[in-house]
RNA sequence: GCCGGAGUGGCGGAAUUGGCAGACGCGCGGGAUUCAAAAUCCCGUCUGGGCAACCAGGUGAGGGUUCGAGUCCCUCCUCCGGCACCA
């Protein structure tokens, strides 16, 4: 640190002394511990406020200056709220399970428990050093058995619940909605009573992984009564409905980390969120949480939250609700390789004769589409490589090609499969389906541009009106039929911008058409045939008239001639009885029509997937279940919780090759004694997986309410008092991870009666990222900060090479060596200065660069505040302090400051609140006499920002008690009011002069004052006044002409 | 590609939501104090012209609405964040 402050005078401001003093005082007096309802000392007369920080993962590096940004904000807010008379719950804890500790253990052999404890101690020391007013009695760490006991307990609640989509439910305000979780026992009894049929219980919402589950059972148990099912079948029916369930699903397998990852933990590049290792798809039997059942509520309840709109939007996009239709496409009869049997008429006849929807379920392909209005344009179908029907329908002569394709597609990493090239690949299966709306036979392909994870894993392809299908059809020369007529402007645009597709025309026997078209109008006319040269000219000029006569017929006949496809809304075409309908009307009608014809139904679909909840790791919560030898799984008895992790020394995953089919064995699998449980002569096994990092943070805000409760996760009454969290502050990187998962758990707990609100977090504030300077060499390569040196006046050079460097703003990262630790700043300037600097940097939500150069400005502020009270030379109270009453001007400044700081804290605008402190200081410092009452109030105003300084000055001003619960100063609006204000006088919108006017001067007074001002009369000389606009308290604008 | 957010002095940022652009801080320049320095205090600091009062221009670029635009509308550029073959 270049600028070392020094203390000389005995009474000089010395944060190195006063800060530890007050931190000790707060700890000893438990100043910030807050009582729960029912506890001694609880004050029921006060309103509550629950202010929560996103608790940190205690990494080995300790806090850097980015972490405390949000913590400073909430601390100021909490201190303010206490002074405003609230019971404030402000806890802190540690999200302590997770990969890095385990990685570290593998590298160093130090047990995660040890490193985690050490890191937590470091974090706690750093946080206390910054003077945050947490209630440390409520500290929790998610890796402590007394904590994760209840994480397991919540898991058991999920395991022992099902989601009843028909159930009536209401939120805490009484608003009614459908669908909620219920105990699984209620499903069982309903099945026994026959209140729910087996078929209903088997009806599984798509998107749940169980959909791909026991297909055999599905048809075997279908249409049978509960009493007719075997015990095993019954158990499968029940297990299929649990909100926590086991399923074999394609997962994101990361060999380098030796674990499976959630979709949310895999980046767009197909790399692991943590560590950037490649991730592969492979099927594994996994614990899943049925978050998809909550998709609708997670979506609609966003509207009730005071969250930043961009975060809500990210969640909406992640949930990805869309409306469309499911349509069943029968597989063509006669079987693969056999002669074509069905044509349109034959198919219709058969349907009519049978009065039935075509074929048994096993021989239809169900697709989901958001554009059922384009059904008549479906000219082929595509199955995802993982689709279960691929194998069944593939014709013998295509089998080899299909198998090879499927194999490579499935083993492709996410990276390859979503690579930017997006070149379409695929293989024909040899089989055909019947387009159910017109009976046309259409080929069925397999292609990896269709994803098993979305919709039904199969699509109807409408190349004329879908970009991907269009590309695919062009690649493989599949037929296209236009069924939506685009608006005229589209034709102009398409032809002018991208023209016609030369290659396509060549392949289709229309050689060089676009090339020649552009040459001359006559050539165009010749090529298109049947149109005049004039029309052709019009096409080239992009004139309007030609669309209906020329462009549309070409398009209707073969949309492939155009380079682009039309995916927008228009008017139906080539769609039998639906021709002429707008896309909207068509969509509205077709759902009912499909249903009536037994071909499909309107559906809602979500992108949200069920949550893959197992990790093949040691350092996480173990699953509170027992697997029996028959393959069944039962939840542990709640009384046996917690299930503690076994002692282990080696956490390495069993190595498995990237593309091997061998199952990876998690470290827990090697803890033989722990994992096997003998009971009633049978050998049960615990699960070798653990829960993902997010589990513990899904409910920590509930434990904070009642952290020491030994017999429950939290007491219901206490929860009811504190919840919901009123203000939640943390980084935007959790927009779709933690914030979605926690909402899901909370809703589930609400359904089961363990939580009293449908949402856990009321107001959410996303703190911005603190960045730091970094340096870029002439080639654009980033250079670590310690390799850069400042030359004269703002230019930088490389230490070794001497090359000039550009100073840029970058993320704080170890590799750039631009990490700034708060410890150094606290050592040099004190925590109060650190806090005020972070708050003064800019708006809390904005990203902004740390600049150590700016810190002394806030240190100066702290010193100036100090000197208002203390005489530096003697260490006594400043002789300028008097018992006089403040004059009018000083009172105005004081009350304006009270108002501004209070308003700004409420609005989380701490930067401008500190700006006001500067203004106050600049006003008061020069005064020779400073009324003590005014200074005392100011000390209170400053104290949330600089609490150590505040307490010390408060004490020196003669108060025995901490100021933490002193009433916040009240603003007297009358005293704060300006009597005289400056009015701008404009001529034609340009300020010509300023007048001092009484604050309450009316429009007439303003206008006449403006008109009589000599400068204005001079400027208006020879001009006619057209209009005069007056804005009370602001300005007068005189509009005039020559 | 799609969806968000943001572009204001040398730097961080203000601007009562359509009303005096650049508050406040940093930095820089000048001065006071000091044997000297640190610390502290005072003055100046958007750009161009003028000794000055003052004049002209100015909020990423271009257009528009308005008495008046950093703020609202249209087109475009740049940076940051999210999603990405989602049928």
């Amino acid at each position: 640190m270049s600028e070392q402050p020094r203390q000389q005078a005995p009474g000089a401001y010395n944060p190195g002394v006063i800060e530890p003093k007050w931190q000790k005082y707060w700890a000893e007096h438990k100043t910030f511990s807050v009582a729960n309802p029912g506890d001694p000392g609880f004050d029921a007369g006060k309103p509550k406020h629950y202010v929560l920080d996103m608790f940190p993962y205690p990494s080995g590096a300790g806090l850097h200056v980015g972490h405390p940004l949000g913590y400073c904000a909430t601390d100021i807010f909490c201190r303010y709220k206490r002074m405003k008379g609230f019971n404030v719950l402000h806890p802190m804890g540690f999200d302590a399970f997770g990969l890095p500790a385990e990685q570290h253990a593998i590298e160093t052999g130090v047990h995660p428990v040890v490193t985690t404890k050490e890191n937590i101690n470091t974090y706690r020391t750093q946080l206390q050093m910054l003077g945050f007013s947490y209630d440390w009695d409520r500290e929790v760490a998610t890796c402590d058995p007394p904590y994760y006991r209840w994480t397991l307990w919540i898991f058991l609640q999920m395991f022992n619940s099902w989601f009843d989509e028909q159930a009536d439910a209401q939120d805490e305000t009484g608003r009614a909605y459908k669908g909620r979780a219920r105990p699984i026992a209620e499903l069982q009894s309903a099945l026994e009573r026959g209140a729910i049929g087996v078929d209903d219980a088997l009806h599984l919402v798509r998107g749940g992984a169980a959909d791909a589950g026991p297909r055999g059972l599905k048809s075997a148990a279908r249409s049978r009564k509960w009493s007719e099912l075997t015990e095993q079948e019954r158990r499968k029916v029940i297990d299929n409905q649990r909100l926590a369930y086991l399923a074999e699903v394609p997962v994101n397998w990361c060999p380098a980390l030796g674990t499976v990852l959630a979709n949310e933990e895999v980046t767009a590049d197909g790399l692991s969120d943590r560590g950037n290792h490649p991730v592969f798809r492979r099927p594994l039997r996994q614990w899943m949480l049925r978050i998809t059942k909550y998709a609708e509520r997670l979506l609609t309840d966003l509207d009730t939250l005071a969250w930043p709109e961009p975060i809500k939007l990210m969640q909406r996009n992640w949930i990805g609700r869309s409306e469309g239709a499911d349509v069943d496409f029968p597989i063509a009869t006669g079987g693969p390789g056999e002669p074509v049997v069905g044509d349109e008429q034959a198919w219709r006849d058969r349907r009519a004769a049978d009065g039935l929807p075509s074929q048994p379920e096993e021989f239809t392909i169900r697709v989901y589409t958001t554009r059922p209005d384009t059904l008549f344009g479906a000219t082929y179908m595509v199955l995802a490589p993982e689709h279960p029907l691929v194998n069944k329908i593939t014709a013998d002569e295509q089998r080899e090609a299909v198998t090879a394709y499927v194999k490579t597609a499935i083993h492709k990493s996410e990276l390859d499969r979503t690579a930017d090239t997006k070149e379409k690949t695929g293989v024909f299966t040899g089989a055909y389906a019947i387009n159910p709306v017109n009976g046309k036979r259409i080929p069925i392909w397999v292609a990896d541009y269709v994803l098993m994870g979305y919709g039904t894993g199969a699509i109807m392809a409408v190349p004329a009106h879908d970009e991907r299908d269009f590309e695919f059809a062009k690649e493989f020369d599949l037929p296209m039929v236009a069924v939506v007529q685009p608006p005229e402007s589209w034709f102009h645009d398409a032809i002018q911008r991208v023209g016609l597709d030369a290659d396509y025309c060549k392949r289709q026997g229309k050689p060089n058409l676009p090339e020649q078209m552009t040459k001359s109008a006559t050539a165009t006319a010749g090529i298109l045939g049947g149109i005049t040269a004039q029309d052709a000219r019009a096409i080239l000029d992009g004139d309007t008239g030609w669309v209906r006569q020329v462009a549309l017929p070409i398009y209707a006949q073969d949309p492939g001639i155009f380079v682009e496809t039309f995916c927008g809304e228009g008017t139906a075409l080539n769609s039998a009885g639906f021709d002429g309908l707008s896309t909207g009307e068509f969509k509205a009608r077709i759902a009912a029509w499909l249903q009536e014809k037994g071909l499909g139904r309107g559906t809602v679909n979500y992108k949200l997937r069920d949550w893959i909840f197992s990790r093949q790791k040691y350092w996480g919560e173990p699953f509170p279940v027992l697997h029996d030898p028959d393959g069944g799984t039962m939840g542990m008895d709640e009384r046996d919780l917690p299930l503690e992790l076994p002692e282990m020394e080696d956490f390495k995953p069993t190595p498995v090759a990237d593309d091997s089919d061998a199952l990876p064995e998690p470290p827990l699998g090697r803890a033989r004694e722990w994992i096997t449980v003998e009971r009633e002569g049978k050998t049960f096994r615990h699960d070798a997986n653990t829960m993902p990092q997010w589990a513990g943070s899904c409910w920590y805000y509930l434990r904070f309410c009642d952290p020491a409760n030994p017999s429950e996760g939290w007491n219901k009454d206490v929860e009811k008092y504190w919840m919901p969290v009123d203000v939640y502050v943390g980084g935007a990187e959790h927009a779709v991870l933690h914030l979605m998962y926690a909402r899901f758990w909370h809703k589930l707990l609400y359904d089961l009666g363990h939580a009293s609100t449908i949402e856990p977090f009321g107001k959410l504030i996303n703190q911005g990222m603190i960045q730091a300077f970094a340096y870029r060499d002439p080639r654009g390569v980033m250079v670590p900060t310690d390799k850069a040196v400042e030359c004269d006046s703002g230019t930088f050079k490389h230490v070794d090479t001497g090359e000039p460097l550009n100073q840029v703003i970058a993320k704080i990262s170890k590799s750039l060596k631009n990490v700034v630790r708060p410890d150094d700043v606290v050592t040099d300037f004190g925590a109060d200065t650190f806090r005020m600097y972070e708050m003064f940097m800019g708006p809390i939500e904005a990203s902004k660069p740390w600049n150590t150069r700016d810190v002394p400005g806030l240190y100066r502020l702290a010193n100036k505040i100090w000197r208002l009270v203390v005489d530096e030379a003697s260490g006594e109270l400043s002789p300028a302090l008097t018992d006089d009453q403040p004059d009018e001007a000083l009172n105005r400044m004081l009350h304006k400051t009270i108002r501004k700081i209070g308003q700004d804290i409420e609005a989380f605008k701490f930067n401008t609140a500190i700006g006001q402190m500067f203004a106050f200081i600049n006003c008061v410092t020069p005064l020779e006499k400073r009324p003590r009452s005014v200074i005392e109030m100011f000390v209170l105003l400053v104290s949330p920002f600089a609490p150590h300084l505040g307490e010390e000055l408060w004490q020196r001003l003669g108060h025995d008690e901490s100021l933490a619960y002193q009433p916040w100063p009240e603003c007297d609006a009358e005293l704060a009011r300006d009597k005289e204000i400056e009015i701008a006088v404009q001529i034609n919108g340009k300020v010509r002069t300023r007048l001092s006017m009484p604050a309450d001067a009316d429009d007439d007074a303003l206008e006449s004052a403006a008109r009589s001002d000599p400068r204005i009369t001079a400027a208006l000389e020879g001009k006619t006044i057209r209009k005069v606009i007056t804005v009370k308290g602001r300005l007068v604008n005189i509009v005039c002409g020559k």
Side-chain angles (χ1 to χ4, degrees):
Chain A
M1 219 51 46
S2 54
E3 194 161 344
Q4 293 275 338
R6 290 164 216 174
Q7 284 77 39
Q8 291 176 324
Y13 172 56
N14 190 347
V17 172
I18 64 166
E19 290 182 357
K21 168 185 162 185
W22 286 101
Q23 283 159 19
K24 190 159 165 255
Y25 175 96
W26 295 326
E28 280 171 2
H29 291 76
K30 291 195 176 295
T31 307
F32 304 114
S33 80
V34 60
N36 274 347
D39 289 348
F42 175 72
D43 184 348
K46 291 179 173 182
K48 72 98 184 178
H49 216 72
Y50 186 174
V51 182
L52 185 65
D53 292 302
M54 288 185 190
F55 65 168
Y57 175 81
S59 77
L63 292 173
H64 65 64
V65 294
H67 292 101
L69 181 66
Y71 306 156
C72 288
T74 51
D75 192 61
I76 291 165
F77 190 71
C78 286
R79 288 175 179 272
Y80 166 80
K81 279 286 179 187
R82 285 190 201 99
M83 294 171 84
K84 289 290 264 187
F86 285 78
N87 281 328
V88 173
L89 178 56
H90 187 41
M92 180 45 86
F94 301 96
D95 188 15
F97 272 135
L99 277 175
E102 185 156 339
Q103 298 285 87
H104 187 257
I106 292 170
E107 285 158 25
T108 64
V110 183
H111 197 281
V113 168
V114 177
T115 42
T116 303
K117 280 245 155 66
E118 279 173 11
N119 293 347
I120 286 177
N121 287 336
T122 307
Y123 269 60
R124 192 190 304 104
T125 306
Q126 285 184 300
L127 291 168
Q128 287 174 346
M129 169 190 84
L130 291 169
F132 295 134
S133 61
Y134 293 118
D135 179 354
W136 285 104
D137 292 344
R138 292 177 186 255
E139 177 186 336
V140 299
T142 54
C143 64
D144 289 340
Y147 180 91
Y148 73 70
R149 171 181 181 180
W150 302 106
T151 311
L152 306 194
W153 178 83
I154 296 171
F155 178 84
L156 280 179
Q157 307 309 302
M158 301 193 201
F159 181 75
N160 290 322
S161 309
W162 63 298
F163 194 87
D164 183 352
E165 284 171 75
Q166 303 310 314
D168 290 313
Q170 53 177 265
D171 69 14
E172 67 270 20
T173 67
R175 184 179 55 93
Y177 57 86
K178 282 265 183 212
R180 64 182 167 88
R182 297 173 61 189
I184 199 88
E186 292 179 17
L187 173 65
Q188 183 147 5
S189 76
L191 281 161
E192 281 162 8
R193 286 197 319 273
I196 294 180
V198 175
D199 280 2
D200 294 331
L202 286 170
H203 173 73
L204 298 166
V205 162
R206 237 183 15 227
D211 198 18
R215 284 188 174 267
L217 174 72
K218 197 167 172 177
S219 43
R222 182 165 287 276
S223 306
R224 286 164 62 195
K225 290 207 169 69
W226 182 251
S227 57
E228 294 166 359
L229 300 187
T230 66
E231 194 48 45
Q232 193 151 18
E233 284 172 332
R234 288 181 186 179
R235 199 156 81 175
K236 280 197 171 167
V237 171
I238 297 277
D239 283 352
N240 244 1
Q241 291 297 305
R242 295 181 188 274
L243 291 178
Y245 63 99
L246 279 163
E248 176 131 340
V249 289
V251 296
N252 305 299
W253 168 244
C254 179
L257 296 174
T259 188
V260 155
L261 299 172
N263 293 330
E264 290 85 341
E265 293 168 311
V266 181
T267 67
D269 310 327
L271 299 174
S272 64
D273 196 30
R274 206 171 267 286
N276 284 330
H277 304 293
V279 174
F280 299 85
R281 306 286 293 181
R282 57 169 303 165
L284 262 186
R285 195 163 163 79
Q286 297 290 313
W287 282 105
M288 309 281 295
L289 298 186
R290 218 177 282 283
I291 189 173
T292 48
K293 293 281 185 183
Y294 284 85
E296 190 62 37
R297 279 166 62 189
L298 287 168
L299 182 69
T300 54
D301 293 348
L302 280 175
D303 296 339
T304 68
L305 298 177
W307 285 17
E309 221 35 64
I311 299 291
K312 290 206 225 177
L313 196 64
M314 278 165 74
Q315 292 216 350
R316 284 192 191 105
N317 290 341
W318 193 264
I319 294 167
R321 184 185 198 274
S322 69
E323 287 182 15
D326 277 354
V327 186
D328 290 329
F329 280 61
I331 294 164
T333 52
E338 288 177 34
V340 172
V341 172
D343 62 10
E344 179 180 345
Q345 200 50 51
W347 188 72
R348 284 225 171 118
D349 290 347
R350 211 166 36 245
R351 265 179 75 77
D354 297 349
L356 278 172
S358 65
Q359 306 185 42
E361 190 187 322
E362 281 81 359
F363 301 109
T364 64
I365 298 173
R366 177 164 297 179
V367 301
Y368 170 74
T369 176
T370 54
R371 292 295 300 271
D373 61 297
T374 62
L375 257 167
F376 288 86
T379 53
Y380 66 100
M381 298 188 79
V382 186
L383 302 181
E386 299 90 343
H387 198 284
L389 280 175
V390 170
N391 209 24
K392 268 191 215 169
I393 63 164
T394 299
D396 291 339
E397 68 273 16
Q398 289 296 100
R399 188 161 299 277
E400 204 180 319
V402 169
T403 311
Y405 181 79
V406 167
K407 193 166 181 209
T408 50
I410 286 178
H411 277 292
K412 258 190 204 174
S413 71
E414 280 295 286
L415 179 59
D416 296 337
R417 199 160 160 180
T418 61
D420 274 4
T421 57
K422 283 185 185 166
E423 249 161 49
K424 298 280 181 291
T425 60
V427 179
F428 178 43
T429 61
Y432 292 84
I434 297 169
N435 185 337
V437 295
N438 58 17
K440 295 242 166 75
R441 277 173 75 101
I442 58 176
I444 305 170
W445 286 63
V446 182
D448 66 2
Y449 83 91
V450 174
L451 309 174
M452 194 59 216
Y454 183 76
T456 60
I459 61 157
M460 63 172 204
V462 185
H465 304 291
D466 179 278
E467 224 169 283
R468 294 147 301 172
D469 299 343
F470 187 71
E471 269 175 51
F472 191 81
K474 283 204 166 175
E475 181 71 34
F476 295 101
D477 282 319
L478 292 159
M480 304 189 194
V481 177
V483 291
V484 183
Q485 179 184 327
E488 292 192 358
S489 57
W490 181 82
F491 288 99
H492 295 289
D493 210 46
I495 290 212
Q496 299 254 302
R497 199 155 40 87
V498 288
L500 304 186
D501 187 339
D503 287 344
Y504 181 85
C505 292
K506 225 174 258 174
R507 287 203 306 275
Q508 302 287 321
K510 297 161 184 163
N512 288 329
L513 182 126
E515 225 173 89
Q516 295 181 31
M517 260 181 79
T518 50
K519 273 190 200 142
S520 73
T522 30
T524 307
I527 290 152
L528 292 178
I531 68 163
T532 64
Q534 205 182 351
D535 284 340
R537 183 73 257 160
I539 293 173
L540 295 178
D541 294 344
D543 199 3
T544 10
W546 62 279
V547 169
R548 235 168 304 115
Q549 294 89 349
V550 185
L552 183 57
I554 299 174
Y555 181 80
Q557 207 180 25
D558 188 358
I561 287 180
F562 290 78
V563 168
E564 278 183 358
T565 173
F566 174 71
C567 305
E569 307 212 332
T571 315
L573 191 73
N574 295 329
S575 295
F578 295 97
D579 282 355
L581 289 183
S582 73
T583 300
E585 279 174 89
F586 199 157
K587 277 187 184 172
R589 285 225 217 142
I590 187 88
W593 186 83
L594 287 168
Q595 184 126 31
E596 182 193 319
K597 302 282 179 196
L599 297 172
R601 71 214 58 81
T603 31
V604 171
N605 211 5
Y606 303 91
K607 284 199 241 175
L608 187 69
R609 305 265 61 85
D610 272 349
W611 180 6
I612 301 165
F613 199 63
S614 312
R615 298 294 180 274
Q616 290 64 49
K617 292 278 111 184
Y618 169 79
W619 193 232
E621 299 87 348
F623 285 91
V625 296
L626 287 167
H627 299 294
D628 68 34
D630 314 329
T633 299
M634 57 188 220
M636 283 172 65
D637 193 307
E638 285 178 15
R639 285 166 302 190
D640 296 334
L641 297 182
L643 171 63
E644 293 198 34
L645 287 168
E647 273 302 324
M648 289 188 79
E649 279 169 15
D650 174 20
F651 312 104
K652 281 195 195 70
T654 322
V656 174
D658 289 0
D659 53 353
S660 151
D661 286 331
L663 288 174
E665 192 192 37
L668 282 178
R670 295 196 298 272
R672 301 283 168 216
E673 279 181 31
W674 178 85
I675 208 154
T676 51
V677 179
E678 300 292 337
R679 191 176 286 178
E680 295 155 12
K682 287 209 278 186
T683 305
F684 293 82
R685 283 176 65 85
H686 279 305
D687 203 290
N689 297 296
T690 54
M691 297 184 196
Q693 155 114 74
W694 312 103
S697 60
C698 278
W699 71 284
Y700 74 118
Y701 55 89
L702 289 167
R703 187 63 177 172
F704 276 145
C705 295
D706 198 9
N709 194 326
S711 53
E712 300 168 282
W714 57 91
N715 174 277
K716 194 68 200 305
D717 294 329
V718 170
E719 182 272 340
K720 194 164 182 163
Y721 177 74
W722 288 117
M723 287 297 288
V725 173
D726 294 282
V727 179
Y728 195 28
V729 177
E733 68 271 20
H734 293 115
V736 287
L737 293 163
H738 162 63
L739 286 171
M740 182 82 81
Y741 294 150
R743 291 181 63 218
F744 161 49
W745 279 40
H746 194 81
K747 286 178 183 301
L748 195 136
L749 291 167
Y750 176 81
D751 287 353
L752 299 176
H754 301 301
S756 53
T757 59
I758 55 163
E759 286 286 342
F761 314 121
K763 182 183 170 116
L764 176 73
I765 292 169
N766 284 123
Q767 91 227 23
M769 199 160 1
I770 293 203
Q771 302 153 312
F773 292 120
Y775 301 87
R776 203 190 285 274
D777 70 17
R779 291 173 301 280
V781 180
M782 301 293 275
V783 176
T785 311
D786 61 349
K787 292 287 176 199
V789 66
E790 181 161 11
C791 317
D792 26 56
S793 58
T795 61
F796 297 87
K797 266 189 179 168
H798 195 286
V799 173
D800 303 331
T801 64
E803 284 178 306
L805 298 173
N806 251 342
Q807 190 180 51
V808 295
I809 290 165
K811 275 187 191 171
I812 290 182
S813 79
K814 270 191 221 161
S815 59
L816 288 176
K817 297 224 171 71
N818 59 359
V819 178
V820 186
R821 305 188 74 222
D823 308 57
D824 306 328
V825 183
V826 171
T827 306
D828 291 343
F829 300 101
D832 287 332
T833 295
F834 176 87
R835 293 164 57 113
M836 290 198 287
Y837 170 64
E838 289 229 330
M839 292 299 96
F840 190 59
M841 286 173 80
I844 188 83
E845 324 82 37
S847 291
K848 54 234 161 194
W850 177 274
N851 192 350
T852 303
R853 190 190 68 185
D854 289 344
V855 176
L858 283 300
Y859 185 68
R860 282 201 270 275
L861 175 62
N863 272 287
K864 286 176 183 177
I865 296 168
W866 177 263
R867 287 194 297 266
L868 285 183
V869 178
V870 182
D871 179 60
E872 281 190 297
S874 64
E876 302 296 314
L877 284 183
S878 165
L881 286 173
T882 70
D883 289 327
D884 299 344
Q885 289 303 304
D887 63 16
E888 197 182 303
L890 183 57
N891 249 335
R892 192 175 305 127
M893 188 65 201
L894 174 67
H895 285 271
K896 276 184 173 177
T897 303
I898 293 171
R899 182 172 59 199
K900 177 74 176 151
I901 292 180
Q903 283 173 348
D904 282 352
I905 292 176
E906 295 272 3
F908 273 68
K909 288 165 71 175
F910 305 108
N911 54 331
T912 48
I914 292 175
Q916 183 64 29
M917 290 180 201
F918 277 109
F920 181 87
I921 282 284
N922 290 342
C923 166
V924 171
T925 301
L927 299 178
E928 277 172 22
K929 295 286 173 197
R930 298 194 285 264
R932 190 193 183 95
S933 62
V934 172
I935 300 306
E936 286 205 354
M937 288 232 218
F938 184 63
V939 166
L940 292 176
L941 297 180
V942 164
S943 68
F945 297 81
H948 314 86
L949 178 61
E951 292 275 23
E952 180 68 22
L953 296 180
W954 188 248
Q955 188 182 55
R956 284 175 184 242
L957 284 162
H959 302 278
D960 303 331
E961 285 204 331
S962 160
L963 52 56
Y965 296 93
Q966 280 296 311
W968 184 256
E970 288 284 334
C971 167
D972 184 330
E974 186 49 40
L975 291 176
R977 207 164 62 87
D978 283 308
K979 305 285 180 288
E980 290 267 304
I981 47 175
E982 203 174 65
I983 299 289
V985 182
Q986 302 179 330
I987 294 176
N988 288 340
K990 285 192 177 146
V991 180
R992 292 292 139 159
T993 189
R994 298 174 172 90
L995 300 172
S996 186
M997 296 287 290
D1000 52 1
D1002 62 15
D1003 288 352
D1004 291 341
L1006 291 178
E1007 184 175 339
S1008 61
R1011 280 172 183 266
S1012 55
D1013 183 86
R1015 260 186 247 248
I1016 298 300
T1017 47
L1020 286 175
E1021 186 112 12
K1023 293 175 177 164
T1024 48
I1025 296 176
R1026 292 228 191 91
K1027 200 166 157 190
V1028 177
I1029 288 150
T1030 55
V1031 181
K1032 213 175 158 224
R1034 301 230 172 277
L1035 56 71
V1036 178
N1037 187 12
I1038 300 171
V1039 186
C1040 59
K1042 292 270 161 59

